[in-house]
Amino acid sequence: MIDFRLDDEHETLRKTVEEFAHEEVAPVIGGFYEREEFPYDLVATMGRMGLFGLPFPETYGGMGGDFTALCVTLEELGRVDSSVAVTLEAGVSLGAMPLYRFGTEEQKTEWLPRLCSGERLGGFGLTEPGSGSDAGAMLTTARLDGDEWVINGTKSFITNSGTDITALVIVAAVTGTKPDGGKEISTIIVPSGTPGFTVSRKYSKVGWNASDTRELSFSDCRVPAANLLGERGRGYAQFLSILDEGRIAIAALAVGLAQGCVDECLRYVHEREAFGHKIGEYQSIQFKIADMEARAHTARLAYYAALAKMGRSEPFKKEAAVAKLTASNAAMDNSRDATQIFGGYGFMNEYPVGRFYRDAKILEIGEGTSEVQRMLIARELGLGVG
């Protein structure tokens, strides 16, 4: 018998995060969003709650939980706000997880306790101005000069890379040429403040306005050779595996946004009147909300299925792509329908659905576009060239 209920531990966590999201995030996040200000106090509270350390062992300052705990948390945060949710998602999945998966014992001991506590954040420098989905077109280079890596290049759209509490960025760079003539790609830890590492000012974004997103540049940036993360030349394989996990996390965040749209609409339609009736009495509104609930429910099952395979240590690349595609579609469709239900009020920043609409689009782009998800699904089904 298949049981989709959360166990007691995960349900307790869900309720705790739900309370935090509604009582501490919801009342203030709109102001942070409009000011395009990073919510340091909220992040500090999440750190004290142990959210940044959820899937990591207690040995490194973590909570000893699992990836399901992270996803449950992201869904509950996403029901209220995506900026706070993506700060957590990127801090864990992209900033800390590569260190845990591929770092030496010295690297994990040095960095993970501060990242797990939320006192510090990490970023993952993969995307470049001229290479988004095509990571193989990477131009950033790192060459060994004695006992140091010398890094040159530019990274774009990097989350958590320029806050006052950012400790490091993990940079993917071309470190040589493989025997077949292809690029040898490796990942290297670059601490914040390293000479030659420049963090540009914040982007002016359509959504996620209370999260930190920057362009990074490296000009003869030198770090110790010991800052190599994982095996030299395995960087491409490493970040592909990190992205597979991250897609489940982004799917959970997207489900939260999709469900948040349902939550807001249910409140609104019992208050708003038109032509002498509450608008929730009209079948056209009822059907629209029913479709929204169905999308959120289906997307949740998709990321639960991916989590189940991941938890059993089975291949889950296809399921992660299905979850990311399904959930981001649900978030985009639900935010559009919610905005329509709210009418003119949905176009006002004072209502959460307007923020949800602006935040939803990036979910179809970040950590692998919808087109890339379809490509991965097709490939896992045995389709492709040749």
Side-chain angles (χ1 to χ4, degrees):
M1 179 179 177
I2 299 175
D3 189 349
F4 293 104
R5 292 174 299 179
L6 298 174
D7 61 27
D8 291 344
E9 185 175 348
H10 289 121
E11 178 59 21
T12 299
L13 172 66
R14 189 199 67 76
K15 289 179 178 178
T16 300
V17 177
E18 178 185 35
E19 181 179 344
F20 165 72
H22 285 282
E23 294 187 3
E24 299 192 43
V25 178
V28 300
I29 196 60
F32 284 103
Y33 198 93
E34 290 192 37
R35 296 190 301 269
E36 299 187 5
E37 180 182 341
F38 190 79
Y40 286 101
D41 289 345
L42 293 175
V43 171
T45 301
M46 290 195 293
R48 290 191 293 270
M49 292 171 66
L51 303 187
F52 285 93
L54 280 172
F56 302 110
E58 295 178 12
T59 307
Y60 303 113
M63 299 294 288
D66 54 17
F67 211 75
T68 298
L70 174 64
C71 290
V72 167
T73 297
L74 291 171
E75 181 179 343
E76 287 304 318
L77 290 174
R79 290 177 76 158
V80 171
D81 178 69
S82 292
S83 292
V84 170
V86 78
T87 297
L88 176 64
E89 190 277 332
V92 175
S93 294
L94 301 179
M97 192 60 74
L99 286 161
Y100 176 61
R101 295 278 188 227
F102 311 114
T104 63
E105 190 59 35
E106 291 76 14
Q107 290 169 343
K108 288 187 278 193
T109 301
E110 178 180 2
W111 295 108
L112 281 178
R114 286 178 286 172
L115 298 178
C116 288
S117 70
E119 296 173 8
R120 292 292 191 176
L121 295 174
F124 190 84
L126 172 61
T127 304
E128 299 187 359
S131 62
S133 299
D134 183 11
M138 187 179 301
L139 296 178
T140 296
T141 61
R143 62 177 177 83
L144 271 177
D145 181 21
D147 60 355
E148 293 182 317
W149 290 104
V150 183
I151 306 171
N152 286 279
T154 304
K155 298 294 180 179
S156 55
F157 315 132
I158 310 304
T159 304
N160 292 346
S161 59
T163 72
D164 293 343
I165 58 173
T166 298
L168 63 95
V169 174
I170 299 167
V171 178
V174 179
T175 52
T177 304
K178 296 189 295 185
D180 63 2
K183 294 178 178 178
E184 175 193 87
I185 295 176
S186 307
T187 49
I188 300 168
I189 302 167
V190 181
S192 297
T194 302
F197 172 23
T198 302
V199 179
S200 299
R201 62 184 180 86
K202 293 186 296 184
Y203 288 105
S204 176
K205 297 176 293 187
V206 171
W208 285 2
N209 286 350
S211 71
D212 180 80
T213 316
R214 313 268 182 152
E215 182 173 276
L216 313 177
S217 61
F218 304 88
S219 179
D220 290 334
C221 176
R222 290 177 173 267
V223 298
N227 282 26
L228 178 71
L229 182 62
E231 296 179 42
R232 177 171 178 169
R234 291 286 297 166
Y236 192 81
Q238 287 173 192
F239 67 65
L240 286 180
S241 67
I242 289 296
L243 288 177
D244 283 341
E245 295 179 3
R247 283 165 183 150
I248 304 177
I250 287 291
L253 191 163
V255 168
L257 190 155
Q259 193 66 60
C261 289
V262 176
D263 298 341
E264 293 299 324
C265 286
L266 288 175
R267 279 192 285 269
Y268 184 72
V269 300
H270 291 304
E271 301 169 358
R272 176 70 169 168
E273 290 189 4
F275 306 106
H277 296 275
K278 304 290 187 185
I279 64 172
E281 297 176 21
Y282 294 107
Q283 193 176 68
S284 61
I285 299 294
Q286 295 172 2
F287 281 10
K288 195 178 289 290
I289 295 176
D291 285 342
M292 292 166 63
E293 175 68 13
R295 293 185 197 114
H297 179 77
T298 302
R300 184 178 296 107
L301 295 182
Y303 94 73
Y304 277 12
L307 276 175
K309 295 202 74 172
M310 179 182 173
R312 295 193 298 267
S313 298
E314 298 175 5
F316 63 91
K317 182 183 292 290
K318 182 184 73 174
E319 287 74 16
V322 168
K324 168 71 162 57
L325 179 63
T326 303
S328 59
N329 284 344
M332 194 70 229
D333 290 343
N334 278 17
S335 64
R336 183 185 61 247
D337 283 352
T339 302
Q340 190 70 23
I341 288 171
F342 271 67
Y345 292 110
F347 203 61
M348 301 295 113
N349 285 328
E350 64 185 283
Y351 287 89
V353 294
R355 190 170 72 244
F356 290 169
Y357 194 19
R358 293 166 65 183
D359 289 339
K361 184 57 192 174
I362 189 60
L363 297 170
E364 297 183 312
I365 299 171
E367 295 204 33
T369 64
S370 294
E371 291 77 13
V372 166
Q373 305 316 307
R374 293 184 177 97
M375 179 185 71
L376 292 172
I377 295 166
R379 187 179 296 164
E380 290 297 305
L381 291 173
L383 304 172
V385 179

